[in-house]
Each structure stands twice: as structure tokens, then as C-alpha cells.
Amino acid sequence: MTHTPTPAGRGVVLARAALHASISDPALDAISFLNEVMDRYPQAISFAPGAPYAGLFDDIDPARYIARYSEYLATVKGRTPAQIRKQLYQYGPSKGVINELLAAALRRDEGMQVAPQALVVTVGCQEALLLVLRALCASEDDLLAVVNPCFAGIAGAASVLGVGMVPIDETESADGGASLDWAQLERACLRARADGKRIRALYVAPDFSNPSGTVLDLAARQRLLALAEREDFLLLEDNAYGFTAAPGCTLPTLKALDGHQRVIYFGTCAKICMPGVRVGFVVADQAVRDQHGQLRLLADELASLKSMVTVNTSPLCQAIVGGMLLEHGGSLAALSKDKGALYRRNLTLLLAALERHVGVNGDPAHGVHWNVPAGGFFVRMRLPVAADAALLDQCASRYGVLWTPMSYFHLNDGGNRQLRLSCSYLTPEQIDEGARRLAAFLHGELVRRKPAMLRPAIGSLLSPVEP
Amino acid sequence: MTHTPTPAGRGVVLARAALHASISDPALDAISFLNEVMDRYPQAISFAPGAPYAGLFDDIDPARYIARYSEYLATVKGRTPAQIRKQLYQYGPSKGVINELLAAALRRDEGMQVAPQALVVTVGCQEALLLVLRALCASEDDLLAVVNPCFAGIAGAASVLGVGMVPIDETESADGGASLDWAQLERACLRARADGKRIRALYVAPDFSNPSGTVLDLAARQRLLALAEREDFLLLEDNAYGFTAAPGCTLPTLKALDGHQRVIYFGTCAKICMPGVRVGFVVADQAVRDQHGQLRLLADELASLKSMVTVNTSPLCQAIVGGMLLEHGGSLAALSKDKGALYRRNLTLLLAALERHVGVNGDPAHGVHWNVPAGGFFVRMRLPVAADAALLDQCASRYGVLWTPMSYFHLNDGGNRQLRLSCSYLTPEQIDEGARRLAAFLHGELVRRKPAMLRPAIGSLLSPVEP
């Protein structure tokens, strides 16, 4: 939407510097810039958005899902038509209404023993992140550790609440596996204590993380759980992309391995149902003891907070998710099976197209290297030059292809020579053509910067593509 | 939902005192208590919930509204079926997608000259309140003045963000009209300045406010606008109940009178469409100047914040609201006309039933007095005794009728001898029977406390009703 600034002088003019600091967060400017570039080059092929594939929307039928869920309420729950209408259209509990269905699915699909009461259904995963940060971070002494680089949403939620973040760098092993900089994490805990502060939680996406596409192996998961127990922090596990793993290739979630309730688990229905419902959820089965010694679930406290943020999640949207789940036997895995396969296909196509058009991965002739995830939406590419806004603009205007600078996802000054490629949104043809344009761009820019690195075999690809 | 506390000792136990203070806000306990009472006495007639009348849900048809809105996108906006699916099911702009329809309705219905770009569509009005407070209150020196008593949602949003509130008492004139304690407001501005702080905004619901049902007259509205201009604060105008005014009896909104963009206007679709969509909106046409002198709309900043809170409001839910609006010629007034009439009928019935069962309003014989609003959902009743939790429990258990202690809505220790009666949720029969039970309760309790006040004529009503 274009901005229509108020005619100056007609009324009040607020100073942006006097508004909350989160509004001036550079991360927001980065996202605005990306959106502007996409607006300016609408014909460019964009590896930027991590949004679901639009072809998946062809068969969506909200009325059918609502009817399916209503039938469930009538036959399984014995509700009258008036009660069903009330559940769909009236205010509802802040905790949600499809908690039982979700808890059953998590038990069945993930081996997660979760009571429905330990779940809160939220307006997307984003609201769940905000609620959990708000609950855990009572003062500026309560810090959030974040695996770096990270999903922009967690940094955004922390920024809105003024929660201090401590980046913990992701590390990459020779075989492409990912781990954390454990020493950095332990130092961060020590330093926080020395400063009279404490790390309340660590945000981590162990399965095909956004933005780097990496997976924490089982040993790293176990080490993380042990460290959380020893250093007394919680783990905020974001599992938006686990459903894209090949069958039989999934690792247990942190929450499934969690013997001490150290893990708060975040799920989203945006990818496995659709973003348009804005439904996510959080599992928070930790006990909270009040001053009288009484115990409640952390989920109860989150629901209280939610009543002050969005009151409740649209029960109509929850009914749509519920109906989709019921159409797949109540299984999130069954619901997401075909979608997971589609995204794996896209990823395979992208990786193959990169090899085909750019050249052999890591070949010194072009100096470009990318990781090879087995799932997720994202590939991380390392360039021999800075992948910054200027380069992106050049790439969009001259070669008609877009990507996201990886530095946008870094909490420190890392990721400068990296970019993120997302393949979720594109058709196979776009992926191939996009990789061709990207190769033309990479070789074209490398030609001009480092002529010796150009491989003659791909000279035919170097002509810039009109967007 | 019942709590299932974690078995102690199995895992981590968090101290509630170490969680954010908003979780332990007494206002939350008050709401929990109210919900518990309602759960304990499900057969009681409840004048507590301010929720819409369930009978209005009988004819709701989400599929039809989505189809109507989709047809509009196709015929008026020229969208293809694939583009329409994308708008409904994919991520969308944080600012919203039905902004044009809403802005046109506000122009037509309220005489409000608002550009679509100055609107943000939010997850209910609650999220809009949170976003505006977050934007305006950058530090603990930025205070929010609130007309007292007030809607619990504004206090909740302030609590979540740790924003300091300054209550400004509502005053009542002899004729039942409402105004503010102007001296208190001016003193609050002075004191804030003296303390190096400032009042950033005043929250006010000029039309049939929740909880007191009062209306600010035109003179008070104009005085408020002048004061906001002089003292340099903004007015947060919440207009959830204006649609219940009798035709021809509406006063212009603050926003319609606003010559200097002093007013941020909040609307909700919960009452005029249905709560189940969780759609509200905010009009924020103020200019914001950044450090380079560039102007943006405050709505743009709110949309940025929203991207970190809930990303965007469900476009499906927006489509439902859009379709309902289009079915009524794009007019919020036409959409809400019948509903407004229904609530006026309920209010008239309640006021008549109170006279019939309790006795003449303000009669010293019973010592009970209530205001007589011309619209809205609420009546405020003053008792000669404290209307507290104990009295409510007694009333529920012995007389089968519920209400809300007015003290729950007061930011200071006011409202102790008052209760709020809401008539939106009840059928005519329930209103009459509820008033009968309430009269029995009032007279019954007054009998025991002040036997001399009992009027013999209503002795037949005094037998407690089994809930």
C-alpha cells in the first residue's frame, strides 16, 4: 500500500524519535526495503518470500472445513446447532477451542505427551512468541538468547517488548550439519549472571531453520536440553518446517525429548493449512507457582496475557483448521504430507538448478557455495562479495531475480557475504529460470569484479534478463 | 477450561513472581473470579457479559460473505480467481485488505474524512489499543490518561506494556449526562510535566461507554478536543457502542469533529458483525516525521508494529466482514441498524423491568439508583451497600442472577457501591426474569441489612430463586 503522508501543517505531527524504539528498528527498514524492491520489480523471480506455494490454495474450501468441524462438534461433542453457532461466532476462551484436536495430533505425530490444557491457540506463531517473551521477561534483567541468524519474528517480538537479546551463533560442521557455539552460550550465561541478569530462554528452530535451513543433530539436541537444565533456562522450540522432512528422516523434537519440561514448543498452521487463517499454537506445560504455593500451567498465564493482546483467536479460523485436521484423521502429519513432498521437490529442483546453472557447488572457479538442506524452505548461499542492498538492487534491476541478504537475519554484523534463497513460493519453471538468472547475475558480477573467475562454459548465460 | 497443574517435581516450576507483572494484575483475578462464578452457576441469569446477542448468529453464513467479497474483488477490482484465492488464503499486508471499504463506510456513515491508508485492520479492537499504546509510549515517562471507570481492555493493554495510567474521573450531571473532571485532567497534565513526564493520550469512549453507559455531550467533546490541542496529547476514541443510538440521536464522533488530527479512532466489528471474526480497526491519520524530515502516517508505524505482534489480520475474516458490509451497500450503519434496534429494545426492557421489579428509580425506600442510558449495552446501578465479590457470590448462589462489580472497571478505589448490568446477551424473557431475581436479591439483602427499607408491595418477590 502506498503511503499518503498527511499534508504538513494541517494537524499534529509526531516525532518518530518520540515513538517506541521498535518502530525505528533497522530490521523493519530492511523488510520495507525488501518489499519496495519487490514492488519495483514485479516481474522479477523472487527467491525472497518464505510464503507457502500458491498452487496449494486451489482446492481450499473454508465452508467445507467449517462444516466438517461443526459435524464433529455435533456428533462427537454432542453440541446443539445453537451451541455450535455460538462457538463459531461468539467470543471464546483465550486459550482456544481446538486444543484437544491439536494435542491429540501432537501425541500421535510427534510423540509429545501434552494435555490440551497446556496448549494456547494463538494468532499465528508470532503472537505466541510475543506472549511467551512477555511472560518470561519481567524486567530488563531478563534476557533472551537467540540462535543466530534467526527468524525475523522473534527479534521483532523482542523489540516490541524491549527484551534484550543475546545472539548465540550457529556453527556448521564439515558435513553440513549444524550446531551451536556452545562456548558462546555458556559464556553468555556466565556473563549474564555476573551482570545481575539472567538468560531466561533460548530461541531455536532445530528443524530446517529459517533462514539457514540447518538441522540440529540429535547430539546437539540432547546437549541443549542438558545445558538448559544446568543453566536454568527454557528452550523456545519453533517447529515451522519439520513437516518438510522426508518420511523416516525426522529427528525427535526437543519437546519430545524433554524430560524436565524445559521446552516451550511453537507450532504454526500457516504452512500446513494456510496463512490466511492466522492460527498458530504454543505448548507451555511448565508449572507456575504463585505466592500461595498454588500451581497453574504456564499456558494459563499465557492465556491471561492473550486476553489483553487479542482476546482470543478467531474461533471461525480455528474451526477451519479443525476441519482440515479432521479431514486427515486428526493428524498434522497426514495433513501436511503432500505439502511436505511438494516443498522437498522444490528444494531438490533448486539445488539441482544451482548445480546446473551456477556450477559445481563450492567450485573455486566461481567462489560460490551453498548448503544442501534435506528439507525446509531455505538455502543459504555464500558469495565472495558482500550480499547487500546495493547488490540486491543491481540483481533485481539487471537480472530480474531477487533474494534476501542474510545479514537481515543476523543479530550481530554477521552474514554479510551470504544470501537466503527460498523456494517455497515458486513453480518448478520459476525455480529453474530463477536459478538461471541468479547464475547469470553471479557470473556477471564476478566477471566484473574478478574476471579470472569466469568459467567460459557458462558465458552464454551472462546476458542480463529483462525483468 | 479447567486447570491441570503439572505434577509437582516432574519438571521445572516457575515462580509467578518472576514472570511479568501484568500476569499478576488484580484485574485479571477479577475477570477469573467472574468467569468462575459463571461456571459455578451456569443456570444463573447473567447481566455480566457484554457479549453480543446469540440470536443474531442464526442467519450468519460465512461462505456467503466470502463469496460476496470475492465477487467484489472480481467485478470491481478485476482480480482473477487465482489472485482472489491468494488474497484470501496467503499472507497479506499488515495494514489490512478491506481498508477501502471501511474508509468509505466511515466517510458515509460518520462524516469522517479518512484515507484507506490511514486505517489499520486489527485482530479486534484490543490489538489496536495495544499497538497504539506501544507506538505512543516509548518510555516510562509517557503516560496514558484514562477516563475512569473504563473498559478492562485498555487497562490490560497498558499493563502488558507496563504503561503508566492516570485515571480521570467521569462525572455525572443531574440530568444523567456525563462529563469529565476537567480540573483533574488539567492537574494531571501539570503534574506529569512537573515530574518530567507527559500525558501522551487520553482514552475515552464518548458514546455509551463501557462500563457506565454514559455519553459525552457535544460541549464536552469540543472542550476535550481543545484541551488535547492545548496540552498536546492525543485522544483515543473507542466507539464500540455508537451504533446503538436511536436514529437521529447521534452526536458527531470526536474524530468527525477533529480539526487538528488529535483523535485516533478505534472501531470493532465484534458487535456489528460478530466476535468470531476478531476484526477491529484503528484510524491513525496523524503524520510522523522521521529524523530526515520525511513524513509517514502513524498508521504505517502501527502496521510495522503489527507485523511483530500478529503479522496480519486473517484475510479470510476480513473477507467475511467485507462481504457483510457489501451486502449492506457498504454502510456500517445499514449493517448495524437492526442490531442497534435490538439492543435498544433490550435496554428499554431492562430499564422498564427494573422499575417494575425493584421499584421507582432512586426511591429512598430501597436506596437503589441506576442511570438511564439511551443506548449501549450497560446500565450502572448504585447500591447502598458494597457491591463486592462476596455480594456477587451470594447473589449468584441464593438468587440465581449475576452482574459485574463496577469496582472491576475502576483504576482507583472508586465504584465500590456500584454494579454494571449488561443487557446485550439476554432474551426479553431472561431480562425480565433477571430483573425479578435482582429485585429479590436487592430487597432480600436490604431486608437483612436494613429491614426498614423493605417495601411491603414486593414482598412476594423475595423468595430466593434456585439457580
Side-chain angles (χ1 to χ4, degrees):
Chain A
M1 205 172 285
T2 52
H3 300 163
T4 313
T6 314
R10 198 196 122 204
V12 63
V13 178
L14 304 166
R16 198 175 195 215
L19 301 181
H20 190 256
S22 57
I23 284 176
S24 309
D25 195 312
L28 281 176
D29 292 339
I31 292 166
S32 300
F33 171 76
L34 204 59
N35 287 334
E36 274 165 38
V37 173
M38 286 178 67
D39 281 350
R40 244 184 305 143
Y41 305 105
Q43 299 307 316
I45 290 177
S46 179
F47 288 112
Y53 182 59
L56 293 171
F57 303 147
D58 291 353
D59 302 320
I60 281 184
D61 184 352
R64 194 179 81 219
Y65 310 132
I66 294 172
R68 180 70 186 81
Y69 181 69
S70 299
E71 184 207 321
Y72 158 84
L73 289 180
T75 57
V76 179
K77 296 289 171 186
R79 304 272 168 82
T80 65
Q83 288 172 327
I84 293 170
R85 283 196 299 273
K86 192 177 153 197
Q87 172 163 337
L88 294 176
Y89 306 142
Q90 188 56 283
Y91 289 106
S94 291
K95 242 188 198 179
V97 291
I98 57 168
N99 308 44
E100 259 183 59
L101 289 175
L102 289 171
L106 292 172
R107 263 196 305 279
R108 166 199 301 227
D109 298 327
E110 306 279 355
M112 222 181 270
Q113 296 307 316
V114 173
Q117 292 84 356
L119 259 146
V120 184
V121 185
T122 51
V123 181
C125 182
Q126 184 64 33
E127 189 195 24
L129 295 171
L130 186 91
L131 296 176
V132 168
L133 289 196
R134 177 66 311 170
L136 295 180
C137 298
S139 80
E140 59 186 19
D141 292 336
D142 294 325
L143 304 175
L144 173 72
V146 178
V147 173
N148 182 54
C150 67
F151 169 50
I154 186 69
S159 173
V160 165
L161 299 174
V163 169
M165 284 185 292
V166 181
I168 307 297
D169 291 333
E170 201 174 77
T171 59
E172 214 175 349
S173 57
D175 65 351
S179 191
L180 303 186
D181 187 333
W182 302 104
Q184 198 183 18
L185 179 52
E186 297 194 32
R187 274 199 312 274
C189 293
L190 269 173
R191 191 177 317 122
R193 266 199 299 277
D195 294 346
K197 303 184 173 202
R198 64 170 176 158
I199 307 272
R200 287 290 269 166
L202 171 77
Y203 171 85
V204 59
D207 291 286
F208 312 119
S209 75
N210 177 8
S212 54
T214 48
V215 172
L216 283 192
D217 65 22
L218 191 60
R221 289 172 199 233
Q222 280 160 338
R223 187 166 177 180
L224 203 45
L225 284 161
L227 196 63
E229 185 68 14
R230 202 187 76 203
E231 297 284 349
D232 193 19
F233 59 78
L234 295 170
L235 295 169
L236 312 187
E237 178 180 32
D238 186 346
N239 187 16
Y241 303 102
F243 74 98
T244 61
C249 296
T250 53
L251 288 172
T253 61
L254 287 170
K255 188 66 195 161
L257 295 168
D258 181 19
H260 298 88
Q261 294 171 303
R262 281 284 158 198
V263 181
I264 298 176
Y265 179 89
F266 297 86
T268 171
C269 300
K271 275 83 184 174
I272 56 178
C273 297
M274 60 178 136
V277 289
R278 306 302 305 122
V279 173
F281 59 90
V282 54
V283 177
D285 58 358
Q286 288 71 21
V288 176
R289 194 194 309 272
D290 72 11
Q291 70 272 34
H292 311 297
Q294 288 210 302
L295 292 179
R296 290 157 59 92
L297 285 169
L298 180 57
D300 291 315
E301 312 290 14
L302 297 177
S304 291
L305 282 173
K306 179 172 168 62
S307 72
M308 302 183 275
V309 174
T310 59
V311 183
N312 62 315
T313 301
S314 165
L316 261 174
C317 289
Q318 293 185 69
I320 290 172
V321 170
M324 291 180 94
L325 253 177
L326 288 163
E327 282 195 354
H328 292 84
S331 161
L332 289 164
L335 172 57
S336 61
K337 186 166 168 282
D338 292 349
K339 296 187 178 79
L342 181 138
Y343 292 121
R344 276 198 308 285
R345 180 205 67 184
N346 272 14
L347 188 61
T348 306
L349 288 173
L350 173 60
L351 292 167
L354 290 176
E355 288 271 345
R356 192 158 59 247
H357 297 303
V358 178
V360 174
N361 193 359
D363 188 337
H366 54 70
V368 175
H369 185 277
W370 55 91
N371 65 348
V372 183
F377 286 13
F378 310 106
V379 169
R380 176 181 52 202
M381 180 175 272
R382 295 174 195 274
L383 306 187
V385 297
D388 55 14
L391 198 72
L392 174 59
D393 195 74
Q394 211 169 22
C395 185
S397 63
R398 290 178 42 97
Y399 299 89
V401 63
L402 290 166
W403 35 265
T404 315
M406 193 61 99
S407 58
Y408 288 5
F409 305 103
H410 277 259
L411 300 175
N412 45 27
D413 55 3
N416 285 321
R417 293 184 164 208
Q418 298 172 32
L419 53 86
R420 186 191 78 171
L421 299 175
S422 172
C423 60
S424 59
Y425 191 74
L426 301 175
T427 63
E429 295 70 31
Q430 289 172 319
I431 289 171
D432 190 70
E433 173 62 13
R436 199 187 67 74
R437 295 182 187 185
L438 187 68
F441 156 73
L442 291 170
H443 294 296
E445 294 314 303
L446 295 184
V447 168
R448 279 194 281 134
R449 295 178 193 219
K450 301 185 178 179
M453 282 190 179
L454 176 65
R455 299 197 315 161
I458 50 166
S460 63
L461 295 173
L462 293 186
S463 57
V465 178
E466 279 304 304
Chain B
M1 206 172 284
T2 52
H3 301 161
T4 312
T6 315
R10 199 196 121 205
V12 63
V13 178
L14 304 166
R16 199 178 195 212
L19 302 180
H20 190 258
S22 57
I23 285 176
S24 309
D25 195 314
L28 281 176
D29 293 338
I31 292 166
S32 302
F33 170 75
L34 204 58
N35 287 334
E36 275 165 37
V37 173
M38 285 177 67
D39 282 350
R40 246 185 302 146
Y41 306 104
Q43 299 307 315
I45 291 176
S46 181
F47 288 110
Y53 182 59
L56 294 171
F57 304 147
D58 292 353
D59 302 321
I60 281 183
D61 185 350
R64 194 179 81 218
Y65 309 132
I66 293 172
R68 180 70 187 81
Y69 182 69
S70 300
E71 183 207 320
Y72 159 83
L73 290 179
T75 56
V76 179
K77 295 288 171 187
R79 305 272 167 81
T80 66
Q83 287 172 327
I84 293 170
R85 283 197 298 274
K86 192 177 154 199
Q87 172 163 337
L88 294 177
Y89 306 142
Q90 187 58 281
Y91 289 107
S94 291
K95 243 188 198 179
V97 290
I98 57 167
N99 307 44
E100 259 184 59
L101 288 175
L102 289 172
L106 291 172
R107 263 197 305 279
R108 166 199 301 228
D109 298 327
E110 305 278 355
M112 222 181 270
Q113 297 306 316
V114 173
Q117 293 84 356
L119 260 146
V120 183
V121 185
T122 52
V123 182
C125 181
Q126 185 64 32
E127 189 195 24
L129 294 171
L130 186 92
L131 296 176
V132 168
L133 289 197
R134 177 67 313 169
L136 295 180
C137 298
S139 81
E140 60 186 19
D141 293 336
D142 293 326
L143 304 175
L144 173 72
V146 178
V147 173
N148 184 53
C150 66
F151 169 50
I154 186 69
S159 174
V160 164
L161 299 174
V163 169
M165 283 185 292
V166 182
I168 307 297
D169 291 332
E170 202 174 76
T171 59
E172 213 175 349
S173 57
D175 66 350
S179 191
L180 302 185
D181 187 332
W182 301 104
Q184 197 183 18
L185 178 52
E186 297 194 30
R187 274 198 313 273
C189 293
L190 270 174
R191 191 176 318 122
R193 268 199 298 277
D195 294 346
K197 304 186 173 200
R198 64 171 176 155
I199 308 273
R200 288 290 268 166
L202 171 77
Y203 171 84
V204 59
D207 292 286
F208 312 118
S209 76
N210 177 5
S212 54
T214 48
V215 173
L216 284 192
D217 64 23
L218 190 61
R221 289 172 199 231
Q222 281 161 337
R223 186 166 177 180
L224 203 46
L225 284 160
L227 196 63
E229 185 68 14
R230 202 187 77 205
E231 297 285 349
D232 192 19
F233 59 79
L234 295 170
L235 295 169
L236 312 186
E237 178 180 30
D238 186 345
N239 187 15
Y241 303 101
F243 75 98
T244 62
C249 297
T250 52
L251 288 172
T253 61
L254 288 170
K255 187 66 194 161
L257 295 169
D258 181 20
H260 298 88
Q261 293 171 304
R262 281 283 157 198
V263 181
I264 298 176
Y265 179 89
F266 297 84
T268 171
C269 299
K271 275 84 184 175
I272 57 178
C273 297
M274 60 178 137
V277 289
R278 306 301 306 122
V279 173
F281 59 89
V282 54
V283 177
D285 58 357
Q286 287 71 22
V288 176
R289 195 195 308 272
D290 71 12
Q291 70 271 34
H292 311 297
Q294 289 209 304
L295 292 180
R296 291 158 58 93
L297 285 169
L298 180 57
D300 292 315
E301 312 290 15
L302 297 177
S304 292
L305 282 173
K306 180 172 167 62
S307 72
M308 303 183 274
V309 174
T310 59
V311 183
N312 62 315
T313 301
S314 164
L316 261 174
C317 289
Q318 292 185 69
I320 290 171
V321 170
M324 291 180 96
L325 253 178
L326 289 163
E327 283 196 355
H328 292 85
S331 160
L332 288 163
L335 171 57
S336 60
K337 186 165 169 281
D338 292 349
K339 296 187 179 78
L342 181 137
Y343 292 121
R344 274 198 310 285
R345 180 205 66 183
N346 273 13
L347 188 61
T348 305
L349 288 173
L350 173 60
L351 292 167
L354 290 176
E355 288 271 345
R356 195 160 54 247
H357 296 304
V358 178
V360 174
N361 192 359
D363 188 337
H366 52 71
V368 175
H369 185 277
W370 55 92
N371 64 349
V372 183
F377 286 13
F378 309 107
V379 169
R380 176 181 53 200
M381 182 174 271
R382 296 174 194 275
L383 304 188
V385 297
D388 55 14
L391 198 71
L392 174 60
D393 196 75
Q394 211 169 21
C395 186
S397 63
R398 292 178 41 98
Y399 299 87
V401 62
L402 290 166
W403 35 266
T404 315
M406 193 60 97
S407 58
Y408 289 5
F409 305 102
H410 276 259
L411 299 174
N412 45 26
D413 56 2
N416 285 320
R417 294 185 164 206
Q418 299 172 30
L419 53 86
R420 186 190 77 171
L421 298 175
S422 172
C423 60
S424 59
Y425 191 74
L426 302 174
T427 62
E429 295 70 32
Q430 288 172 318
I431 289 171
D432 189 69
E433 172 63 13
R436 199 189 66 77
R437 295 183 187 185
L438 187 68
F441 156 71
L442 292 171
H443 294 295
E445 294 314 304
L446 295 184
V447 168
R448 279 193 281 132
R449 295 178 194 221
K450 302 185 178 180
M453 282 188 180
L454 177 65
R455 298 197 318 160
I458 49 166
S460 62
L461 296 173
L462 293 185
S463 55
V465 179
E466 278 306 303

